[in-house]
């Protein structure tokens, strides 16, 4: 949630993500940076995966876990599959764009070459409230 707060500080939707190595240690972290960079792909999950891959010196993040405050969108779910992430843990479900449980299940689609274990709803109330508060302030 700390990374999500950093996103909000520069005007972006407060979503934060961390990549954990097989021992559970934080390898990389990021918040949304779309507004900061003008990059439509600068979602917290994608940035965290990029940073972890650079640090690990490999695009394969098998045995790693991505923890994120909101259920990933289709782009981010696809990135999880392509990076061979083993586990996804997320907070709030996203009924409008969620691609791992709500609308689609990209990361567990049997037609793809990799499947990701999914654990959803962790700190769901807190993660959801942070998003609701952000959007209430915009209105």
């Amino acid at each position: 949630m700390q990374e999500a707060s950093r996103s909000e500080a520069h005007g972006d939707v407060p979503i934060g993500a961390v990549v954990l190595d097989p021992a559970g240690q934080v390898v990389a972290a990021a918040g949304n940076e779309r507004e900061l960079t003008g990059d439509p792909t600068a979602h917290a999950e994608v940035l965290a995966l990029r940073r972890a891959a650079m640090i690990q010196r490999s695009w394969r993040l098998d045995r790693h876990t991505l923890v994120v405050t909101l259920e990933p969108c289709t782009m981010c779910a696809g990135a999880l599959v392509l990076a061979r992430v083993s586990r996804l843990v997320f907070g709030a479900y996203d009924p409008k764009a969620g691609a791992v449980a709500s609308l689609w299940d990209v990361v567990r689609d049997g037609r793809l070459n990799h499947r990701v274990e999914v654990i959803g709803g962790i700190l769901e109330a807190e993660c959801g409230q942070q998003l609701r508060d952000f959007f209430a302030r915009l209105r």
Side-chain angles (χ1 to χ4, degrees), residues 78-102:
L80 287 164
V81 171
L82 293 172
R84 308 299 196 270
V85 170
S86 295
R87 180 180 302 114
L88 165 67
V89 177
F90 71 89
Y93 287 84
D94 186 351
K96 294 182 180 178
V100 300
S102 297

Side-chain angles (χ1 to χ4, degrees), residues 5-127:
S5 296
R6 289 189 186 120
S7 296
E8 188 173 3
H10 49 75
D12 215 324
V13 178
I15 299 173
V18 296
V19 176
L20 306 176
D21 68 14
Q25 299 299 309
V26 174
V27 174
N32 274 355
E33 293 182 8
R34 296 173 309 161
E35 297 296 332
L36 183 67
T37 63
D39 178 357
T41 68
H43 289 205
E45 301 95 323
V46 170
L47 296 173
L49 290 172
R50 286 177 185 164
R51 292 171 186 166
M54 285 187 353
I55 290 166
Q56 302 290 39
R57 297 176 192 248
S58 175
W59 62 269
R60 289 181 175 272
L61 297 175
D62 51 329
R63 300 180 50 227
H64 286 68
T65 298
L66 179 83
V67 181
V68 63
T69 55
L70 182 66
E71 177 183 359
C73 69
T74 53
M75 175 183 69
C76 295
L80 287 164
V81 171
L82 293 172
R84 308 299 196 270
V85 170
S86 295
R87 180 180 302 114
L88 165 67
V89 177
F90 71 89
Y93 287 84
D94 186 351
K96 294 182 180 178
V100 300
S102 297
L103 295 178
W104 299 282
D105 191 356
V106 172
V107 298
R108 292 176 287 199
D109 190 317
R111 296 169 292 183
L112 299 176
N113 62 343
H114 178 75
R115 276 161 285 303
V116 179
E117 176 189 357
V118 176
I119 302 168
I122 304 301
L123 297 176
E124 182 176 7
E126 295 90 333
C127 293

